[in-house]
Amino acid sequence: MNEWKYHLYQPEPVSEWLNEAIIVIDTNVLLAAYQWRKITVNEVLQALEGIKKEGRLRIPLQVIKEFSENRPKQITQRMHDIDQIISKHQADTKPIIERLPMLQTKEDSILAVESRRENYNEALKKYKDELIALRNELKKLFIKDPFLDKVIKISEETVISSNKKMDALLQEASKRFKEKIPPGYKDSSKESNSSGDFLIWSTILEIHNDVVFVSGDIKEDWVYSEKNGGSIVARRELTQEFYKRNGKRFAHITPRELIDYINPSVSDTIREDLETYKVIKRNSIYSEFCELYSRIQEKLVLFCELFDIGYNKNFEFEQIQQKLFRHKLLSQKVCEKIDIIINIRETEFNLHDVSIYELGYKLAREVIDELVVPEEKLNELS
């Protein structure tokens, strides 16, 4: 190909060649099963099984490694989510008459409200018991996970890896990151698995066939995106590099697009799942943020115990924080950061835009570093 034609290479619409291409799936497609409804998981599994029967499914070894590492985190995070719900709903144990003694003469009204309080507590106990039962079901997935069994079956004879040695790949990744060559440079500053995207890309480059990469990761080092966060097409650099290497076509599509191509009549329920699930990044920034969130909670409780500050195990995060602030064990600056962290943790964001969790992770790391016992308090203890 002439040099100038290479620069002006224009890929064809993926809909025209999807049925002949090799389909490569990303880690987040597998991890999403722990967020999707069963009907959606079954739809995606059916699609992948059909592609495998046609001999067109490939799963990079890096995807298997990342799935293995992050699957337990996904399960524990769902368990933590249930714990959050349980902790937010507390029984009302104080009789109404003790709260409103001035209304003692309104016996009928007091009895009616008291009856409702008791009914509320009874319903709440049943609700919590059922949540605990669900939590225990999640715990069983560490021993027997039907979805993991499906992944193992699908992975047989479809897992591929790069022919290059790991040291050489990591050196190449480092060089590309410095020059901001996609994909992967957006993760280059991360502490763990920063080269994950590139390791998958290096495996894809060795496939001598048209390739469609299915991923919910729509960061700017993979795709061009609309303002609303939707992906348009793969980055020009990726389609050009793949074509230059193999003379073949490359495309990046989301799980929603894959299912739409394969089964246009899929239900709106499934489309909703496929559109809104939280994308777990290679370095699992969401999971790491949640782990730091739990560590901050543990540290605050430790502060309470160390300084003999009374607290209830059912206290909200904010209540413990406020107690420590009043005892001058937390600065205003740290409290403000914790407030932001709590808001991020307890608000449902779409992780197609992971920047909010990157902020939460950054602030959580700062808070943990700043959660040290003030010197004057140490002097008091000694």
Side-chain angles (χ1 to χ4, degrees), residues 106-120:
K106 305 287 187 179
E107 185 176 349
D108 290 344
S109 298
I110 290 293
L111 289 175
V113 174
E114 184 63 24
S115 175
R116 288 185 173 85
R117 183 183 70 86
E118 291 174 357
N119 291 339
Y120 165 78

Side-chain angles (χ1 to χ4, degrees), residues 154-212:
I154 287 176
S155 299
E156 290 175 355
E157 300 179 357
T158 65
V159 177
I160 58 174
S161 59
S162 173
N163 293 321
K164 297 180 180 179
K165 292 184 177 181
M166 183 58 68
D167 287 346
L169 287 170
L170 294 178
Q171 288 179 6
E172 186 177 353
S174 178
K175 180 181 178 182
R176 290 173 68 113
F177 293 166
K178 289 178 181 177
E179 298 175 6
K180 292 195 180 317
I181 300 174
Y185 66 80
K186 292 292 288 184
D187 291 338
S188 61
S189 62
K190 299 300 181 290
E191 295 182 2
S192 61
N193 197 30
S194 59
S195 300
D197 278 17
F198 173 72
L199 294 177
I200 291 176
W201 177 241
S202 66
T203 303
I204 291 174
L205 284 174
E206 295 179 20
I207 299 175
H208 299 287
N209 204 324
D210 294 334
V211 169
V212 174

Side-chain angles (χ1 to χ4, degrees), residues 18-19 23 43-44 46-48 50-51 54 56 253 255-266:
L18 175 73
N19 292 332
I23 307 297
E43 182 71 31
V44 173
Q46 183 177 339
L48 295 180
I51 294 167
E54 296 171 357
R56 299 190 297 119
I253 64 173
R256 160 77 185 268
E257 291 172 310
L258 175 69
I259 298 304
D260 276 344
Y261 285 132
I262 293 176
N263 182 11
S265 62
V266 71

Side-chain angles (χ1 to χ4, degrees), residues 164-337:
K164 297 180 180 179
K165 292 184 177 181
M166 183 58 68
D167 287 346
L169 287 170
L170 294 178
Q171 288 179 6
E172 186 177 353
S174 178
K175 180 181 178 182
R176 290 173 68 113
F177 293 166
K178 289 178 181 177
E179 298 175 6
K180 292 195 180 317
I181 300 174
Y185 66 80
K186 292 292 288 184
D187 291 338
S188 61
S189 62
K190 299 300 181 290
E191 295 182 2
S192 61
N193 197 30
S194 59
S195 300
D197 278 17
F198 173 72
L199 294 177
I200 291 176
W201 177 241
S202 66
T203 303
I204 291 174
L205 284 174
E206 295 179 20
I207 299 175
H208 299 287
N209 204 324
D210 294 334
V211 169
V212 174
F213 182 47
V214 183
S215 173
D217 188 346
I218 55 172
K219 297 193 305 298
E220 66 179 44
D221 55 348
W222 275 110
V223 298
Y224 297 113
S225 299
E226 301 175 274
K227 285 187 177 181
N228 63 7
S231 67
I232 303 174
V233 294
R235 284 280 294 261
R236 171 187 57 81
E237 296 93 331
L238 300 179
T239 56
Q240 287 183 346
E241 182 177 4
F242 191 82
Y243 186 81
K244 186 176 183 180
R245 178 75 65 91
N246 300 312
K248 301 293 182 178
R249 295 167 289 195
F250 171 80
H252 177 298
I253 64 173
T254 64
R256 160 77 185 268
E257 291 172 310
L258 175 69
I259 298 304
D260 276 344
Y261 285 132
I262 293 176
N263 182 11
S265 62
V266 71
S267 71
D268 290 339
T269 298
I270 293 175
R271 284 198 174 93
E272 180 184 356
D273 274 356
L274 294 170
E275 189 69 30
T276 62
Y277 80 95
K278 296 175 180 177
V279 177
I280 306 304
K281 294 177 63 179
R282 312 244 90 75
N283 58 4
S284 231
I285 194 71
Y286 176 69
S287 296
E288 291 181 16
F289 164 68
C290 292
E291 288 175 10
L292 291 180
Y293 179 90
S294 297
R295 282 178 58 192
I296 292 173
Q297 286 181 305
E298 292 168 1
K299 260 197 165 184
L300 295 187
V301 169
L302 182 62
F303 269 44
C304 288
E305 293 173 348
L306 182 61
F307 293 101
D308 197 24
I309 297 173
Y311 75 95
N312 187 306
K313 67 178 181 178
N314 293 323
F315 273 3
E316 293 283 351
F317 197 162
E318 296 95 328
Q319 291 174 293
I320 296 177
Q321 172 194 339
Q322 290 164 8
K323 271 183 168 286
L324 292 172
F325 176 71
R326 287 197 295 270
H327 284 78
K328 299 182 179 179
L329 289 167
L330 294 182
S331 68
Q332 182 67 39
K333 182 179 178 182
V334 169
C335 285
E336 289 172 357
K337 290 181 181 180

